[in-house]
Amino acid sequence: MARRARAASPILGAVAATIEAESRALVTDSGFRHTFEAPVASVEADPDQPRRAFDAAGLQQLAATMEEQGQLQPILVRRHPSQRGHWVIVAGERRWRAAQSLGWRSILAMEHDGDPEVAALLENLQRVDLTVIEEARGIRRLLDSKGWTQSQAADALGRSKGDLSAVLGVMSLPAGFLNEVLTSELDIPRNVLVELARVRDEVKLARMIALARAGRLTVRELRQERD
């Protein structure tokens, strides 16, 4: 004979409801950000992200690490402006790309409601393989979109104004030459590009760029040329 289902206690029900309400209040009022699992398919890259080139070997290495150890750090995301339930990456695009390559269905994420441009640029500036051109473009976009001075940007990024000025100076070099460096057609060190941007004489600059293309330009030679 089947047992008769026991009627739910109204007292226990009230207690459970109170606990649930209090739990929701605690989570809502907490000053800490909480991670959640976001479907990889509902996350997309920020089209204005300063980083453009991603090293394939580096991504493979990151994917191997994530496969072995799991995702050690959440990505930062903001709500998609027009698609409900979708997210735009603020920081952590490499982790998202690695998760895609592994076929993961979800990725650990954390919502970020601060300044997304500053957060994205700060994370990218911490990467050793970010090119000085990507760095300069990101800083310039930040200055233009925020209407900041170089001093304000330096304070926000924790950099000196002189350092920011030197990086931004790279953008004065010919666009075609910069694209060759950005696409890795030319392998020119960061300090050479910074010094090259300080050459004001157009004839000297053209000669120095020709030497750089030939792989025969050094910082010492550039400084002697300027002097």
Side-chain angles (χ1 to χ4, degrees):
M1 184 174 179
R3 279 186 188 174
R4 180 179 298 175
R6 182 179 297 176
S9 167
I11 296 177
L12 290 177
V15 170
T18 301
I19 292 174
E20 183 180 357
E22 291 296 329
S23 298
R24 284 199 301 267
L26 284 171
V27 171
T28 302
D29 297 337
S30 171
F32 295 98
R33 293 293 176 190
H34 298 275
T35 58
F36 63 96
E37 287 192 17
V40 170
S42 72
V43 177
E44 63 184 63
D46 185 347
D48 295 324
Q49 208 259 93
R51 187 179 182 82
R52 285 291 174 264
F54 291 87
D55 177 62
L59 279 175
Q60 288 179 352
Q61 185 176 8
L62 176 60
T65 300
M66 288 172 59
E67 186 174 31
E68 179 182 351
Q69 302 180 16
Q71 185 185 347
L72 302 179
Q73 183 180 4
I75 64 172
L76 296 183
V77 295
R78 57 183 170 85
R79 295 176 188 271
H80 196 284
S82 59
Q83 297 184 55
R84 185 180 180 87
H86 284 245
W87 305 89
V88 177
I89 296 173
V90 172
E93 185 175 339
R94 292 179 75 253
R95 274 161 274 158
W96 173 69
R97 287 177 178 265
Q100 283 183 313
S101 72
L102 291 170
W104 286 9
R105 298 182 64 180
S106 61
I107 186 169
L108 193 64
M110 182 181 295
E111 185 174 3
H112 177 80
D113 58 5
D115 192 312
E117 292 176 272
V118 175
L121 187 57
L122 277 172
E123 168 144 317
N124 277 298
L125 291 180
Q126 291 170 3
R127 299 210 58 79
V128 295
D129 56 347
L130 185 72
T131 70
V132 68
I133 302 169
E134 290 172 318
E135 186 179 344
R137 286 180 176 176
I139 294 171
R140 170 50 58 193
R141 187 158 43 245
L142 194 66
L143 291 173
D144 293 342
S145 64
K146 303 297 179 189
W148 284 353
T149 64
Q150 288 189 26
S151 295
Q152 288 172 311
D155 289 341
L157 298 173
R159 305 274 289 271
S160 71
K161 183 182 175 182
D163 182 35
L164 245 65
S165 180
V167 170
L168 287 168
V170 171
M171 298 303 296
S172 66
L173 293 170
F177 174 66
L178 291 179
N179 283 333
E180 290 178 63
V181 177
L182 192 59
T183 57
S184 300
E185 293 178 40
L186 295 175
D187 184 16
I188 300 178
R190 174 194 183 92
N191 56 350
V192 170
L193 287 171
V194 169
E195 291 295 330
L196 192 59
R198 290 172 173 156
V199 177
R200 297 296 177 229
D201 184 278
E202 292 186 5
V203 175
K204 288 182 179 180
L205 179 61
R207 187 168 66 252
M208 294 296 102
I209 287 178
L211 288 174
R213 284 193 167 109
R216 302 202 312 268
L217 187 62
T218 64
V219 170
R220 181 179 179 181
E221 187 171 3
L222 273 166
R223 288 176 176 167
Q224 288 176 341
E225 189 69 30
R226 282 209 331 270
D227 296 339

